[in-house]
Amino acid sequence: MATAEPIIMPGYQGEYISGPFDDPDGDSDVPDHTGASVEQVFQLFSATAPRGWRVELIEGEICVTPPANGEHEEIVSELTEQVIDRRRDRSLRNYTGIGLDVPGGSMTGHVVPDLAVAPKGTFDDEQEWHDPSAVLLVAEVTSTSTGDRDRETKILGYARAGIPVYLLIDREEAEVTVFSEPSGDRYAKTVKCKLGMVVPLPDPLGFELDTAEF
């Protein structure tokens, strides 16, 4: 079965959008989004995306991604359980599907990491997109359709936001990369291991992950 590919709208500058919102009969009550800003189009896509689809604004590009497959979700589930079992600070909580505002190159980005680790109560509000300043770790598990963004573009916003640890579980490359010590739009320290090894997470986490369970 073919894998659904994400929809990416690079460099949107207010052009007319064609697609599921078009009216084949030309009725005048269909909204005209000509001239809309990237942020406005992002909000439109967020409000109308099918249930389970992920809509993100990454470095000025609107990315709409279909639900992940079972293998992806098994890895996220195992990662979540290991964090629960091995965390030193028992007040920490795991958040999946949480929206974060991160600094972009030209505008605020809106991203949804596969996992975010933060103190209990960090996201205790009614907002859809949240300040990431209290987040200690974000994790992404790659898919064929999202791997390049996880490896190259999402990391920029996470580093700019000052998130201490970015954990990248790369299924295609069979590698785990731990990025730490954010500086500007990069991480100063990178530790890469083959998937299947025990991977130490630096402070403020300070425990090991057994990636053989992935």
Side-chain angles (χ1 to χ4, degrees):
M1 182 179 295
T3 302
E5 292 295 323
I7 302 167
I8 303 177
M9 299 181 64
Y12 175 82
Q13 298 295 329
E15 300 90 342
Y16 178 72
I17 303 169
S18 61
F21 306 105
D22 285 351
D23 178 18
D25 299 323
D27 293 343
S28 60
D29 60 348
V30 175
D32 182 358
H33 300 289
T34 303
S37 69
V38 176
E39 181 68 33
Q40 289 170 327
V41 176
F42 169 78
Q43 296 297 337
L44 173 66
F45 272 60
S46 294
T48 57
R51 187 180 182 88
W53 286 57
R54 182 172 298 186
V55 183
E56 299 174 292
L57 181 58
I58 305 171
E59 297 298 301
E61 294 185 348
I62 299 171
C63 304
V64 185
T65 308
N69 62 26
E71 181 185 62
H72 177 282
E73 294 305 290
E74 286 287 348
I75 293 175
V76 173
S77 177
E78 175 62 28
L79 174 60
T80 300
E81 288 301 312
Q82 289 198 31
V83 172
I84 292 172
D85 290 342
R86 301 173 186 186
R87 62 191 173 180
R88 295 176 180 177
D89 183 348
R90 306 311 294 177
S91 72
L92 295 181
R93 295 292 184 269
N94 296 318
Y95 299 91
T96 56
I98 199 74
L100 301 179
D101 283 329
V102 297
S106 58
M107 64 184 72
T108 300
H110 306 302
V111 297
V112 184
D114 288 321
L115 176 67
V117 178
K120 180 180 179 180
T122 294
F123 307 113
D124 187 16
D125 56 42
E126 297 182 357
Q127 301 300 313
E128 182 178 1
W129 302 99
H130 303 269
D131 179 353
S133 59
V135 175
L136 302 182
L137 175 144
V138 288
E140 299 285 2
V141 179
T142 68
S143 298
T144 302
S145 59
T146 65
D148 288 343
R149 297 202 301 272
D150 294 336
R151 299 180 194 105
E152 298 172 12
T153 51
K154 271 195 170 182
I155 189 174
L156 303 176
Y158 292 148
R160 293 188 194 112
I163 297 173
V165 180
Y166 172 37
L167 175 66
L168 176 62
I169 300 171
D170 195 327
R171 292 191 289 168
E172 288 67 44
E173 300 295 330
E175 293 178 337
V176 178
T177 306
V178 180
F179 300 91
S180 60
E181 301 179 13
S183 176
D185 59 4
R186 299 291 176 183
Y187 283 90
K189 188 173 182 180
T190 303
V191 176
K192 186 172 293 189
C193 305
K194 284 295 182 183
L195 195 62
M197 299 180 64
V198 173
V199 178
L201 296 180
D203 291 335
L205 283 306
F207 57 84
E208 295 181 334
L209 291 176
D210 183 1
T211 68
E213 298 298 321
F214 298 163

